[in-house]
Amino acid sequence: MALGARLGGDFNVARRLYHLVREAGFAAPEITHHQPVLVRGELKRLEELSFREVGPRLLGAGLLPAEELEALLGSVRLLTADEEVVYALSRMVQVWACA
């Protein structure tokens, strides 16, 4: 979250998206959300792969020491392989409307 904010991103925009669409003048917007829940498979590795990809930027920004990143990746890898662990991806919000 901190890295996203430093780079100008807003990972919490989904909470406001419906209202932003209304404020933009769209009539009768609709909203839905989707949140996959997983116990096995490649998609369950998304968190590990995401941290692996963003890791160098976290290190470069001084937000996470290298040892902590490696420990986090190791823990996530173990949890991903464990079918007793139920993993829910982030909620994906979708808003649509007609002009």
Side-chain angles (χ1 to χ4, degrees):
M1 297 296 275
L3 181 61
R6 284 189 186 186
L7 297 175
D10 182 359
F11 292 119
N12 290 313
V13 72
R15 296 176 184 187
R16 301 184 316 279
L17 191 56
Y18 174 80
H19 297 288
L20 291 170
V21 170
R22 284 183 56 101
E23 290 168 11
F26 290 94
E30 299 291 337
I31 185 169
T32 188
H33 79 268
H34 178 66
Q35 187 171 21
V37 178
L38 310 157
V39 293
R40 71 186 67 79
E42 282 301 304
L43 195 53
K44 192 175 176 188
R45 293 189 61 219
L46 184 62
E47 203 71 43
E48 175 194 348
L49 298 172
S50 295
F51 270 109
R52 193 169 294 289
E53 184 176 324
V54 78
R57 293 191 94 166
L58 290 168
L59 297 174
L63 294 171
L64 193 66
E67 309 80 39
E68 196 171 325
L69 176 61
E70 286 307 314
L72 177 65
L73 286 169
S75 295
V76 171
R77 195 175 312 107
L78 289 174
L79 293 172
T80 298
D82 186 347
E83 290 189 11
E84 291 295 316
V85 174
V86 177
Y87 175 68
L89 294 174
S90 297
R91 180 173 38 189
M92 294 168 261
V93 175
Q94 195 174 33
V95 178
W96 66 96
C98 295

